[in-house]
């Protein structure tokens, strides 16, 4: 079974109430080959919500207590992102996920790139909180483009 970001399947759960529909990912959901998940909603955030970025590092650093996730207004939302990451890990274990396909650039789901924490649209190499936790637990995590190029 494959676990995928809900926004990639067309659900309007992104911070601004939109989706990031990926037709190939959505097809897997329609064929019951994938299950959707939104770590940010599982963590207790709402839609819409303030955009958030990792300050002081990446998802690994957040998990290690060396960085935090802050929304654009300056509110520390680190614990909600960590809570969502652990809930996603539990779901992945529950369904015996072999692959997890997450939305790139997100402070939660980014698997190779995230925004730099300055809210200026600049990206850096690094993982979001959920991607970091899933990888630490031996799961194969990839971005939607990487998944489509590799498996579809």
């Amino acid at each position: 079974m494959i676990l995928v970001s809900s926004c990639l399947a067309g659900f309007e759960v992104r911070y601004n109430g939109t989706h990031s529909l990926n037709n190939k990912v959505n097809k897997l959901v329609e064929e019951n080959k994938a299950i959707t998940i939104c770590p940010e909603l599982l963590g207790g955030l709402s839609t819409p919500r303030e955009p958030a970025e990792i300050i002081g590092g990446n998802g690994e650093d957040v998990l290690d207590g060396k960085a935090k996730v802050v929304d654009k207004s300056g509110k520390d939302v680190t614990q909600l992102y960590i809570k969502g990451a652990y809930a996603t890990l539990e779901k992945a274990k529950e369904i015996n996920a072999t692959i997890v396909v997450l939305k790139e650039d997100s402070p939660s789901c980014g698997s190779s790139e995230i925004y730099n924490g300055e809210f200026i649209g600049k990206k850096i190499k690094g993982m979001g909180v959920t991607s970091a936790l899933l990888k630490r637990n031996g799961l194969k995590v990839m971005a939607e483009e990487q998944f489509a190029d590799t498996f579809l």
Side-chain angles (χ1 to χ4, degrees):
M1 186 57 72
I2 301 169
L3 193 60
V4 300
S5 287
S6 297
C7 63
L8 295 174
F11 292 93
E12 295 176 337
V13 296
R14 295 185 70 225
Y15 74 94
N16 58 3
T18 64
H19 60 74
S20 294
L21 178 63
N22 178 297
N23 289 320
K24 293 176 181 177
V25 170
N26 188 47
K27 186 171 188 242
L28 292 174
V29 173
E30 289 174 350
E31 295 171 348
N32 294 317
K33 294 178 182 172
I35 292 181
T36 62
I37 197 146
C38 178
E40 294 174 12
L41 293 183
L42 288 174
L45 293 160
S46 62
T47 302
R49 57 190 168 273
E50 285 277 323
E53 295 186 9
I54 297 173
I55 309 289
N58 59 38
E60 292 274 350
D61 298 316
V62 171
L63 292 173
D64 293 339
K66 298 175 186 171
K68 58 187 176 177
V69 186
V70 176
D71 73 18
K72 196 169 184 176
S73 299
K75 181 181 175 191
D76 185 335
V77 290
T78 304
Q79 290 309 311
L80 297 174
Y81 277 76
I82 291 172
K83 179 182 174 187
Y86 277 95
T88 301
L89 175 62
E90 288 308 308
K91 185 66 174 180
K93 289 178 177 179
E94 179 186 312
I95 67 165
N96 294 316
T98 52
I99 299 170
V100 183
V101 183
L102 299 176
K103 178 70 187 120
E104 195 61 276
D105 306 327
S106 158
S108 184
C109 296
S111 60
S112 62
E113 259 188 1
I114 55 173
Y115 287 98
N116 74 347
E118 297 175 0
F119 296 94
I120 58 172
K122 184 177 179 189
K123 298 174 189 175
I124 57 171
K125 293 202 178 305
M127 288 182 280
V129 179
T130 297
S131 288
L133 182 66
L134 295 176
K135 285 185 178 183
R136 279 187 179 182
N137 282 273
L139 288 155
K140 183 169 184 62
V141 179
M142 59 182 60
E144 65 275 19
E145 314 303 339
Q146 181 188 12
F147 176 73
D149 291 347
T150 306
F151 293 95
L152 300 176

